[in-house]
């Protein structure tokens, strides 16, 4: 299990370097940012504790990279833009709260594309169709497991804190395992 997380985290660092390279950064800057991500963020502690966090990071940064790559071509690549939507949909499958990123990705795609409005809408559809397919899968899974398409299995806990405040603050701020003070 920890080996899988190590590979996923290493892949995330690599995709971060690819993103920066495609955005115009020099090789040294890209490599330093990838190294900084690996050892200077919460990525390292999550290697041995939680599988979904490294997978979420890889999925989100990969979706962003596919958008960057897809928009660089002239004309833009519908396949890469659709891949960005598919990978973001997979990220949302791993953690539903990542739905909040959809407007950010849509805005970024709209902003980086140039050309007439109908052309932008066409590329936006290429992005949204695979994303909608994943959202349908998520809705069907929720319906099957919990009886509602909008119930993600948290029940009553979805509207309240379940960890005592001081325990949570200790864990996030000063815990030697994942505390912010160590990063």
């Amino acid at each position: 299990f920890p080996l899988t997380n190590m590979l996923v985290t290493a892949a995330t660092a690599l995709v971060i370097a690819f993103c920066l390279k495609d955005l115009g950064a020099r090789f040294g800057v890209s490599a330093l940012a990838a190294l900084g991500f690996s050892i200077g963020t919460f990525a390292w502690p999550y290697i041995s504790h939680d599988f979904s966090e490294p997978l979420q990071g890889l999925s989100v940064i990969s979706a962003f990279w596919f958008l960057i790559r897809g928009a660089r071509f002239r004309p833009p690549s519908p396949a890469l833009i659709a891949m960005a939507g598919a990978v973001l949909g997979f990220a949302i499958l791993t953690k539903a709260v990542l739905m909040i990123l959809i407007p950010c990705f849509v805005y970024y795609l709209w902003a980086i594309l140039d050309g007439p409005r109908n052309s932008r809408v066409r590329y936006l559809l290429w992005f949204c169709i695979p994303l909608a397919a994943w959202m349908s899968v998520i809705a069907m899974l929720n319906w099957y497991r919990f009886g509602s398409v909008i119930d993600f299995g948290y029940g009553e806990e979805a509207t309240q804190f379940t960890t005592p405040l001081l325990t949570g603050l200790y864990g996030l701020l000063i815990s030697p395992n994942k505390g912010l003070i160590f990063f």
Side-chain angles (χ1 to χ4, degrees):
F1 179 73
L3 178 62
T4 304
N5 283 346
M6 282 188 245
L7 295 174
V8 169
T9 302
T12 304
L14 184 63
V15 175
I16 287 171
F18 288 160
C19 283
L20 290 171
K21 181 187 166 295
D22 287 344
L23 289 171
R26 294 188 315 261
F27 174 78
V29 171
S30 300
L32 188 60
L35 181 65
F37 162 77
S38 299
I39 61 174
T41 68
F42 287 110
W44 190 260
Y46 276 113
I47 282 178
S48 62
H49 291 286
D50 191 355
F51 181 70
S52 71
E53 302 299 331
L55 188 59
Q56 291 168 43
L58 177 60
S59 299
V60 170
I61 196 67
S62 295
F64 181 62
W65 184 53
F66 283 123
L67 273 187
I68 293 169
R69 297 291 297 173
R72 285 183 65 193
F73 291 103
R74 293 294 173 244
S77 170
L80 289 174
I81 291 172
M83 191 65 173
V87 174
L88 184 61
F90 180 75
I92 293 168
L93 178 67
T94 63
K95 189 145 202 170
V97 74
L98 293 176
M99 282 189 280
I100 198 167
L101 295 177
I102 293 173
C104 300
F105 275 80
V106 168
Y107 176 77
Y108 179 78
L109 180 60
W110 188 267
I112 61 173
L113 293 174
D114 49 350
R117 185 172 192 256
N118 61 350
S119 173
R120 288 180 177 189
V121 169
R122 188 175 75 240
Y123 290 115
L124 197 58
L125 284 173
W126 276 104
F127 176 75
C128 290
I129 288 171
L131 186 60
W134 273 112
M135 298 302 275
S136 299
V137 168
I138 294 166
M140 287 187 292
L141 285 171
N142 288 347
W143 178 266
Y144 177 75
R145 295 186 301 175
F146 311 114
S148 170
V149 296
I150 59 171
D151 185 358
F152 288 88
Y154 294 105
E156 298 277 330
E157 292 179 11
T159 60
Q160 58 188 335
F161 288 108
T162 56
T163 302
L165 182 61
L166 292 177
T167 304
L169 286 174
Y170 167 77
L172 292 174
L173 297 176
I174 58 176
S175 165
N177 188 28
K178 296 178 187 169
L180 185 62
I181 197 167
F182 292 100
F183 294 97

